[in-house]
Amino acid sequence: MNDSAPPGTTAGRPATAPPALDEKTASKVAIGALVGNALEWYDFFLFTTAAALVFNVQYFVSDDAVTSALASFATLAVGFIARPLGGLLFGRMGDRVGRRTTLLVTIVLIGVTTGLIGLLPNFFTIGLAAPVLLTLLRVVQGLALGGEWSGAIIIAVEHAPPAKRGRFAALPQIGSPIGTLMSSGAFVLVSLLSQDTFDSWGWRLPFLAAIPLLLVGLFIRTQLEESPEFTRLLENNEVAHAPISTVLRESWRQVLAGAAVAFLGMGGFYLVTTFVISYGTRILELDSTLLLIGTLSAATVEIGVIVVAGRLTEAFGASRVVVVGGLATALAAFPVFWLIETANPLLVVLGMTLGVAGLSFPYGACGTALAGLFRPQLRYSGVAIASNGAAMLSGCVPLIATAVFAASGDQIWTAAALFVTIALITVAGGLLTPRLSIAEAGVTRR
């Protein structure tokens, strides 16, 4: 059976009917995907926070603080640049071998890599080898995460009853704010150590904790069942033989629209958290603990918003939630950064929280939107390519924001304008999605 064969048919015999889907199984799988996803995001976000607080002074040593920050954020960006390669690799594996097996591989890869970062000597110990090795480990992290997010969303969607896919697609998305809470919370705890202790070895503890967390995540992942849709594809000999080339040839418009839809939830998040942490410590001279608390507050609110966004997706459609959430974020962008610019602790936390709350509506809906853009034979590859294309651009956002901010003479309006631009790109993606979707997966049209 070639890639273009009609769904539900095989050569010479009727296709096997898809198995019945029930909420109990869907809940079990979605929670399993959520927990594993949260642990992977914890590993990935540790690097994000450390890039703003640690790596710029311990691995990218320079007399100029801006140069060190740019170098550190460049390494952060490298992980995101590697994600599309991981999307190609694990997207093909997910469509050829299976969703479950691929998710087992990604969690092992990123957990081991994160633990090794915690053991890596700094520049003062091994010289230039330190930033080089750190960059290589970041690349491996990016490759692994390139197949993680898409796989977690897809295995949840494909186990869910069609009418309730919005809530189950949103559930693994909560792994992102939970990972943020865990990673930022870990750094808040170690920041309570003396500065000398933190600089010497305290910052390494959250990275080393990835090893026992890996064992937990691996156990949970082994309990997941393979997706019913992929099982049907296997039984009916409908597995795509060349999913990557087929997606790029037949579904490139869907890839571009999907990347635009996902951009705000990823790029906007790093602007309001990673860039703001760097801006707050360097320019506003705020305590890093305050900014980490701001990140914790934002992530806590994000959990609730994602849940609401999932339900709204079922009622109104993923594209509408994406568009309205993107427009609301664009309108709030300048007020968000004006609040942060005040350097008032309460207003800084409020600004970070409002910024993340707005972008969390499109983020909560984008899993449903992206899954609906691709047929099952190509879904893992398509979602992986689209989401990781957005991730690659998102990883460059703190670097771009820092460079433009410095070039403007430290004018905060440049960050707000970038936030508006990212939001409007996502709005455009949301407007295109209904025309390109195979269906607004599980949505009740009104």
Side-chain angles (χ1 to χ4, degrees):
M1 178 64 61
N2 60 36
D3 294 351
S4 60
T9 63
T10 60
R13 72 178 191 279
T16 302
L21 301 172
D22 63 272
E23 287 194 48
K24 183 177 180 180
T25 300
S27 297
K28 176 184 175 182
V29 172
I31 291 172
L34 159 65
V35 174
N37 203 22
L39 295 178
E40 293 228 24
W41 278 117
Y42 165 78
D43 292 348
F44 201 74
F45 284 153
L46 282 179
F47 199 106
T48 303
T49 304
L53 299 178
V54 178
F55 297 150
N56 56 323
V57 294
Q58 293 213 22
Y59 289 86
F60 302 95
V61 179
S62 171
D63 293 332
D64 180 37
V66 173
T67 300
S68 295
L70 287 172
S72 183
F73 285 146
T75 306
L76 175 68
V78 164
F80 287 93
I81 293 171
R83 282 185 61 174
L85 298 177
L88 295 175
L89 172 65
F90 293 112
R92 186 181 190 280
M93 181 183 294
D95 282 328
R96 294 282 294 147
V97 180
R99 286 51 161 143
R100 178 181 178 274
T101 300
T102 305
L103 289 172
L104 288 172
V105 173
T106 58
I107 197 170
V108 170
L109 198 57
I110 199 169
V112 171
T113 302
T114 304
L116 290 175
I117 291 174
L119 298 172
L120 184 66
N122 62 20
F123 178 86
F124 303 102
T125 304
I126 60 173
L128 289 175
V132 171
L133 290 173
L134 181 64
T135 302
L136 290 175
L137 290 172
R138 180 60 173 178
V139 168
V140 176
Q141 272 195 331
L143 291 173
L145 199 61
E148 164 60 29
W149 184 89
S150 47
I153 295 297
I154 289 168
I155 201 168
V157 165
E158 293 183 345
H159 273 92
K164 297 184 177 180
R165 284 186 169 180
R167 70 190 67 183
F168 290 114
L171 197 56
Q173 298 279 68
I174 299 173
S176 174
I178 290 177
T180 300
L181 288 170
M182 291 170 62
S183 59
S184 296
F187 264 99
V188 167
L189 290 176
V190 296
S191 70
L192 299 177
L193 300 170
S194 68
Q195 190 64 47
D196 288 343
T197 302
F198 177 84
D199 292 339
S200 178
W201 54 266
W203 69 268
R204 298 179 181 275
L205 296 178
F207 287 90
L208 296 174
I211 299 301
L213 290 175
L214 165 62
L215 299 177
V216 174
L218 189 58
F219 172 78
I220 292 171
R221 283 281 161 90
T222 59
Q223 307 306 304
L224 296 182
E225 299 176 2
E226 183 54 88
S227 151
E229 289 197 36
F230 185 78
T231 300
R232 180 184 62 80
L233 293 176
L234 282 175
E235 292 174 348
N236 295 329
N237 193 29
E238 293 180 351
V239 173
H241 296 292
I244 299 298
S245 61
T246 305
V247 166
L248 296 178
R249 184 177 66 252
E250 298 180 358
S251 304
W252 60 269
R253 294 177 183 85
Q254 285 85 347
V255 169
L256 292 178
V261 166
F263 191 29
L264 178 58
M266 298 179 185
F269 180 85
Y270 294 115
L271 182 65
V272 179
T273 56
T274 305
F275 169 75
V276 168
I277 289 174
S278 176
Y279 163 69
T281 53
R282 289 192 304 107
I283 305 300
L284 301 181
E285 298 182 348
L286 295 172
D287 187 84
S288 61
T289 301
L290 169 67
L291 297 166
L292 289 172
I293 290 173
T295 302
L296 291 171
S297 172
T300 301
V301 171
E302 184 180 13
I303 293 173
V305 174
I306 289 174
V307 172
V308 172
R311 295 303 181 100
L312 292 175
T313 295
E314 294 175 0
F316 301 107
S319 59
R320 292 180 181 176
V321 177
V322 169
V323 169
V324 174
L327 290 173
T329 302
L331 291 173
F334 277 88
V336 162
F337 279 94
W338 288 335
L339 288 170
I340 295 169
E341 190 182 25
T342 65
N344 178 285
L346 182 60
L347 296 181
V348 168
V349 172
L350 177 62
M352 296 177 72
T353 302
L354 289 176
V356 171
L359 62 86
S360 296
F361 281 100
Y363 185 67
C366 76
T368 306
L370 266 65
L373 286 169
F374 305 96
R375 54 194 174 94
Q377 291 93 332
L378 308 174
R379 186 170 288 151
Y380 206 128
S381 297
V383 173
I385 294 171
S387 63
N388 287 298
M392 180 177 66
L393 295 176
S394 299
C396 298
V397 166
L399 176 64
I400 294 170
T402 301
V404 174
F405 180 74
S408 70
D410 297 345
Q411 298 295 311
I412 196 62
W413 67 264
T414 57
L418 181 59
F419 202 16
V420 171
T421 302
I422 294 170
L424 293 181
I425 290 173
T426 287
V427 169
L431 292 173
L432 289 172
T433 296
R435 303 178 184 180
L436 299 172
S437 296
I438 57 172
E440 280 234 31
V443 169
T444 300
R445 296 184 179 275
R446 294 189 175 187

